[in-house]
Amino acid sequence: MRDRMLYDTVPAADAPTMAAPAAPGTHRDTRRFDGGGTLSAAIDGWIECAVLLAGRGLQIRQFLHVDAGRLAAPAVHDLADVVVRDPQVVYTDHDPRVAADGVAQLPAGGSCRVRFLHADLTTAGSSALDDVRAVLDPRQPIAVIVPPRTGQRGPQGYEAARQLVAGLPAGSLLALAAATADAMPRAERHAREAAGASPHWYSYAQVERLFDGLDLLPPGVLPVRRWTSTHSATQTPLAWAALGRRP
């Protein structure tokens, strides 16, 4: 059973605070960067929190999941279909095999309009934005979900995502998570790097700076496990996660 949730309800849009759904999902990317399932499940829970806040709290109906990886229920479109009317969802992934698998998994019907694109939106000036605009209305707020996978190829991915959100309408949301070694013993960090756990680590301050120009929503930058559990406060943070709203 999932630990007691850190947040219980999603209030009105003028006072956004996080909430978590009743049941956790499974991580959408089977190539886990930490080599285990615990952090993967925590990232899943944080994504669910972001979708709930965007839909119920901020009344956002459009979602863009960058570097989505392989889909597993409940995926973003499953969650969005519960919390908002007629949601629109776009997944992207730079790996053509992952994107092809994602296309095959998409629902044939339902109220949610959804597409999976083979695209790298974390490259500045990507032409894939034109394909995204074919589904999502750039005149309306969009929730952009950026998982730790994006940062594994270098900080330029996060910067491109930040610039993408800066060009979206007011009220859009950036949900971003990044792997960290802030509190990790040096020996453990070296062991993880030797095992290929993550070629890039991001400090608390670096993650906080990625939200410059946005309204960082409470409770701010937290270890990703804290978004869904109050029982992880003493655990070594392996990823930071936060949500920021475009003013």
Side-chain angles (χ1 to χ4, degrees):
M1 180 179 294
R2 173 180 278 190
D3 292 339
R4 180 172 61 87
M5 297 305 158
L6 188 57
Y7 306 99
D8 297 321
T9 60
V10 177
D14 59 349
T17 304
M18 284 308 309
T26 54
H27 189 39
R28 297 154 185 80
D29 181 9
T30 57
R31 295 164 296 176
R32 297 164 179 165
F33 68 82
D34 68 324
T38 302
L39 182 57
S40 296
I43 292 169
D44 247 11
W46 164 73
I47 290 175
E48 293 178 18
C49 286
V51 173
L52 275 176
L53 173 70
R56 285 185 186 161
L58 303 180
Q59 307 303 307
I60 295 175
R61 297 175 49 250
Q62 302 187 110
F63 300 84
L64 173 59
H65 190 179
V66 176
D67 284 331
R70 291 181 173 85
L71 302 183
V76 169
H77 66 274
D78 297 316
L79 298 164
D81 209 16
V82 172
V83 296
V84 295
R85 171 182 283 186
D86 299 327
Q88 302 183 70
V89 178
V90 171
Y91 300 99
T92 69
D93 201 280
H94 63 278
D95 187 326
R97 295 169 298 179
V98 172
D101 288 345
V103 170
Q105 289 179 272
L106 295 183
S111 61
C112 182
R113 185 181 181 193
V114 56
R115 287 189 63 186
F116 202 123
L117 304 177
H118 171 219
D120 187 359
L121 290 183
T122 59
T123 299
S126 173
S127 61
L129 282 174
D130 293 336
D131 295 327
V132 172
R133 293 189 185 103
V135 181
L136 305 182
D137 184 352
R139 299 167 298 179
Q140 299 297 322
I142 299 172
V144 180
I145 299 168
V146 185
R149 281 188 72 210
T150 300
Q152 287 184 267
R153 291 180 289 151
Q156 68 275 6
Y158 285 143
E159 183 58 32
R162 196 169 75 90
Q163 292 176 9
L164 186 156
V165 172
L168 295 178
S172 293
L173 184 75
L174 173 63
L176 184 146
T180 188
D182 279 3
M184 193 179 295
R186 180 170 298 183
E188 181 180 351
R189 174 173 176 169
H190 289 167
R192 287 178 175 272
E193 290 174 344
S198 180
H200 298 280
W201 307 98
Y202 300 87
S203 69
Y204 179 97
Q206 286 175 311
V207 173
E208 194 172 45
R209 282 196 296 271
L210 289 171
F211 290 87
D212 285 351
L214 302 177
D215 294 332
L216 190 63
L217 300 185
V221 180
L222 285 182
V224 70
R225 290 189 179 110
R226 290 292 308 281
W227 286 92
T228 54
S229 172
T230 58
H231 294 176
S232 58
T234 61
Q235 296 181 7
T236 299
L238 297 182
W240 297 113
L243 308 175
R245 190 183 189 190
R246 191 184 183 287

